[in-house]
Amino acid sequence: MLVLFTILTTFTFCIIGYSCGNILFGSIIAKLQKTNLRSIGSGNIGATNSLRAMGKTIGLIVMLLDAIKAYLAVIIAWTIYLFTINKWFPKGHELYTMVYLAGICAIIGHCFPITYLFNLIRYGFKKQKTLMSIGGKGMSCTVGVIAAINPFLAVILIIIWLTVFLIFKKVSIGSICTVLFTPSFTFIREINLQYLFGNGLYNNSLWFIINDSYTANIYLFVGIFMLLTISSYIVVIRHISNIKKIIEEIKIEAKSK
């Protein structure tokens, strides 16, 4: 019976995450500003296009809110976990990774919201451009999820993003490079020992991740690695149009030379 309850609780984490992801702040704020994001720039309702359409201040607000909703999805899941699965299986440390499914589903919900699914069912992939404009590209949500897993790692990734952006002057390149680096940091002991599998509210519940037990709990790190790899893959998929544009620009530059 406890196994069934655990499965249902885990499914609840996914529902919570996907529901949080469906709160598209770019679209909400654009409507309040009486701005049609679909007709501006890339047509996307994410933070980057919001910045392009409504200015830096609003763009940064959208970026922050998108990160917070993904972070809160994990926090809500953690709260539920502590009063359910954690009590049912007090020594089931391998089950901690279930909490982060809420974060991954928040990213999925942001990139592929319910309206995306309805349009996909209705039109298939015939209206690819319309489909790609529904939902964001997931970078802000990814940072929010990583901040819940490891605040230090989130800061490092923001620094990487800023560095790449300042070099290439392209948000998309910064985002793609950052998410590609993300999973590899999971296994850097010095970054992860204090905060991995914890956050500002619940660090004391994860006391077992200490120097001596790092290797013993390697399967947990593998689980987080897989989840971060999935989130990175989603972000890269949402940037396919940007990748194509970058390749075209490189070809044009090569021909001109």
Side-chain angles (χ1 to χ4, degrees):
M1 186 62 70
L2 288 180
V3 173
L4 176 60
F5 286 159
T6 301
I7 293 171
L8 291 175
T9 304
T10 304
F11 183 70
T12 301
F13 296 161
C14 296
I15 295 297
I16 290 170
Y18 189 77
S19 298
C20 288
N22 269 258
I23 305 172
L24 304 174
F25 289 106
S27 180
I28 293 170
I29 294 176
K31 287 180 180 178
L32 293 174
Q33 294 286 321
K34 295 181 179 180
T35 302
N36 184 7
L37 287 178
R38 301 280 171 79
S39 63
I40 300 173
S42 63
N44 192 268
I45 54 85
T48 302
N49 205 42
S50 296
L51 186 149
R52 186 184 295 117
M54 296 178 285
K56 292 181 180 179
T57 301
I58 293 180
L60 290 173
I61 290 173
V62 172
M63 191 179 298
L64 181 62
L65 290 173
D66 284 343
I68 289 174
K69 72 182 181 185
Y71 182 87
L72 287 178
V74 178
I75 295 298
I76 293 170
W78 259 115
T79 304
I80 296 172
Y81 176 89
L82 290 176
F83 292 98
T84 55
I85 300 174
N86 191 52
K87 288 189 175 181
W88 301 334
F89 304 100
K91 295 183 179 180
H93 300 324
E94 69 278 2
L95 300 176
Y96 284 161
T97 51
M98 291 180 177
V99 170
Y100 299 114
L101 287 173
I104 300 302
C105 287
I107 297 171
I108 294 173
H110 177 77
C111 295
F112 308 103
I114 196 70
T115 50
Y116 179 100
L117 299 180
F118 283 150
N119 278 272
L120 181 62
I121 294 171
R122 185 176 180 182
Y123 301 111
F125 289 100
K126 295 178 181 178
K127 294 190 176 182
Q128 187 68 24
K129 189 174 181 180
T130 301
L131 285 173
M132 292 305 291
S133 67
I134 301 173
K137 296 191 176 180
M139 187 59 206
S140 298
C141 287
T142 299
V143 173
V145 173
I146 293 171
I149 296 174
N150 185 339
F152 295 135
L153 179 55
V155 172
I156 290 171
L157 295 178
I158 290 172
I159 292 172
I160 292 174
W161 184 91
L162 285 172
T163 302
V164 176
F165 173 72
L166 290 173
I167 293 172
F168 295 99
K169 307 296 182 183
K170 286 185 178 294
V171 173
S172 57
I173 295 180
S175 299
I176 293 167
C177 290
T178 301
V179 296
L180 290 177
F181 274 114
T182 301
S184 61
F185 283 104
T186 308
F187 299 103
I188 299 178
R189 179 189 300 241
E190 288 73 14
I191 293 176
N192 290 328
L193 281 180
Q194 292 182 351
Y195 280 92
L196 194 61
F197 309 113
N199 49 62
L201 294 177
Y202 301 129
N203 277 334
N204 58 352
S205 68
L206 300 162
W207 52 268
F208 74 95
I209 298 294
I210 57 176
N211 192 51
D212 292 337
S213 65
Y214 183 90
T215 304
N217 292 283
I218 195 67
Y219 54 85
L220 293 173
F221 295 89
V222 172
I224 291 296
F225 174 83
M226 292 174 66
L227 291 174
L228 291 180
T229 300
I230 292 171
S231 66
S232 299
Y233 182 69
I234 293 169
V235 174
V236 171
I237 286 177
R238 291 297 287 173
H239 282 82
I240 285 178
S241 59
N242 300 92
I243 294 172
K244 289 180 179 179
K245 287 180 181 179
I246 293 169
I247 293 174
E248 288 176 3
E249 290 174 2
I250 293 173
K251 288 181 179 179
I252 291 172
E253 289 182 7
K255 287 181 179 179
S256 63
K257 290 180 180 181

